[in-house]
Amino acid sequence: MKRKICSVAVAVALPMMAGTAYANTPSAAELQERMFGSVFAEYYMPDRKKTRNVEFDYLTRGPGVGLELGYRFDDNWAVRADYARQRLKNKLTGDRITGNRFGVDAMYHLNDSNIYLVAGLNRHTIDKTNSANVGIGYRAFLNENVAFFAEANRYQGLNKGTWADAGIKAGLTYVFGSSSAAAPAPAPAPAPAQPAVVDSDGDGVPDHLDQCPNTPRGHKVDERGCTVYQEVEQRVGSAEIRVLFAFDSAEVSREQRADVARLADYLKRYPTATVEIEGHASRIGAADYNQRLSERRAKAVADLLVNTHGIERSRISTVGYGFSRPRMEGATREAHRANQRIEALVTARIKEPVMR
């Protein structure tokens, strides 16, 4: 979906910018060996995996602003450093999350064209990730020094699993200094196209009645042209609680209660979330006995959440799996200790758009 959004954004922007390009656009020879700086606005779209994962704080899309500084070596090659201040969103709570993106890119400008390609590396402070990006952009000069540009990038994750974000940005570039190279002969500007648009975003609501322009395609809308949402139950994450039990015991020791407290804090932070506590046992003893032992362990953690941390009993369910789902195979002491554990599966109500 993000690839499609980026592709559409660039496809729409290129002809618009081409129509407004300054007649005396500097040539590649005039731009080489010159520094440039840019300011831009950005719209960043995290991978859907991030919106469903507590490790990424359920990040979803949001805007940003930033700066660039670069140097053009020759007709084709340039290098730049860019910085963006981003304001993304927590999908569960709607809270804004602010952070930075730092990047370094190599840029390749196509011959006889204002189109360029980029590739580079980035650091994202919001979710503490690194990425490699590739992208395409277009620069339309307004005069010898000032240009408008639009760009789309794909960010491939280099840590915290496999993920791919996307981003689009647009802004102004200033090329420092001047060149003595001869400027190309001015070309006549094409006549601006003025299409008659009645429903720009194609949602079925005319522009003069549409209170939510640019509704994503495929979303069901109301009479005002705004997306219709529904609440659905969705499993949003799983977390292993590091509660390790003594042999043949379902008692949670004082030293083992820190993760239970962290789970309680998480449930208080997301009051619509529910949790299923899973109890597990090692392969020592009879299956029936270990089944009952795992159920007692799950109940012991649930009782802690209710009696010590004030979590409503209705938000907690428990289940025991005996030794049917071992974390570590084998009959070693380490395997038995690893399998005597508790896991928690968290479910929450999330707003999702209704599709047409």
Side-chain angles (χ1 to χ4, degrees):
M1 182 66 179
K2 290 197 286 288
R3 279 197 194 94
K4 184 177 180 181
I5 292 173
C6 292
S7 301
V8 170
V10 174
V12 171
L14 293 185
M16 292 176 60
M17 290 185 292
T20 59
Y22 185 67
N24 292 321
T25 298
S27 66
E30 293 175 299
L31 294 172
Q32 65 180 339
E33 298 183 358
R34 296 172 68 180
M35 293 189 67
F36 60 90
S38 305
V39 294
F40 62 86
E42 180 180 77
Y43 192 68
Y44 195 81
M45 294 162 280
D47 192 301
R48 290 182 63 185
K49 180 185 298 183
K50 292 186 176 182
T51 69
R52 300 175 177 178
N53 196 316
V54 65
E55 186 178 14
F56 296 99
D57 211 12
Y58 306 110
L59 286 178
T60 189
R61 58 189 62 186
V65 293
L67 304 170
E68 295 178 353
L69 185 63
Y71 182 77
R72 180 95 171 241
F73 295 100
D74 54 26
D75 290 1
N76 301 108
W77 289 99
V79 66
R80 75 177 181 196
D82 75 331
Y83 161 77
R85 183 67 170 174
Q86 298 176 317
R87 294 186 71 231
L88 304 186
K89 198 174 184 181
N90 182 296
K91 186 175 181 179
L92 292 183
T93 65
D95 295 340
R96 287 291 181 182
I97 303 174
T98 302
N100 304 312
R101 178 181 60 77
F102 302 92
V104 177
D105 294 309
M107 307 174 68
Y108 182 83
H109 299 77
L110 304 184
N111 291 330
D112 302 319
S113 172
N114 285 333
I115 297 175
Y116 60 88
L117 307 176
V118 297
L121 297 172
N122 299 267
R123 173 64 178 173
H124 309 258
T125 64
I126 285 184
D127 53 5
K128 296 180 176 59
T129 56
N130 303 316
S131 67
N133 66 290
V134 293
I136 184 172
Y138 188 95
R139 182 177 287 118
F141 278 84
L142 308 178
N143 57 40
E144 181 182 350
N145 296 94
V146 179
F148 176 81
F149 77 95
E151 188 177 308
N153 279 277
R154 188 74 169 171
Y155 300 88
Q156 184 65 46
L158 299 178
N159 64 336
K160 288 194 176 182
T162 302
W163 52 268
D165 298 349
I168 54 177
K169 61 182 181 180
L172 291 174
T173 296
Y174 183 82
V175 182
F176 297 96
S178 60
S179 174
S180 59
Q194 298 181 355
V197 178
V198 176
D199 183 10
S200 301
D201 55 8
D203 62 359
V205 179
D207 286 359
H208 68 282
L209 300 175
D210 199 337
Q211 299 181 31
C212 299
N214 302 318
T215 305
R217 292 193 180 276
H219 283 200
K220 183 178 180 180
V221 299
D222 57 21
E223 66 278 1
R224 300 176 299 123
C226 299
T227 298
V228 177
Y229 289 92
Q230 62 181 348
E231 284 194 348
V232 298
E233 289 285 349
Q234 181 173 320
R235 178 150 290 173
V236 296
S238 63
E240 180 176 342
I241 304 176
R242 298 290 297 175
V243 177
L244 301 178
F245 294 91
F247 176 69
D248 196 26
S249 172
E251 180 181 355
V252 183
S253 67
R254 188 172 301 278
E255 294 78 12
Q256 294 286 307
R257 298 185 181 186
D259 275 8
V260 179
R262 280 193 289 271
L263 176 59
D265 290 341
Y266 176 82
L267 292 172
K268 292 175 182 177
R269 181 181 177 188
Y270 299 104
T272 65
T274 59
V275 63
E276 180 180 82
I277 306 296
E278 294 183 354
H280 300 268
S282 64
R283 293 182 179 274
I284 300 177
D288 289 345
Y289 181 81
N290 278 289
Q291 175 65 33
R292 293 192 299 272
L293 178 60
S294 66
E295 292 171 358
R296 285 170 29 223
R297 287 171 172 170
K299 184 177 182 302
V301 173
D303 289 343
L304 266 180
L305 289 173
V306 173
N307 299 329
T308 303
H309 299 285
I311 304 300
E312 296 86 345
R313 177 74 67 175
S314 61
R315 298 174 62 193
I316 307 168
S317 60
T318 62
V319 62
Y321 287 107
F323 52 61
S324 62
R325 297 186 180 184
R327 171 58 60 84
M328 181 183 296
E329 295 290 348
T332 64
R333 181 177 180 181
E334 291 76 10
H336 293 323
R337 182 168 179 78
N339 293 330
Q340 296 168 175
R341 71 192 191 280
I342 289 293
E343 292 185 7
L345 302 178
V346 182
T347 303
R349 294 189 66 83
I350 295 178
K351 284 188 176 182
E352 288 188 348
V354 178
M355 307 306 290
R356 287 187 284 183

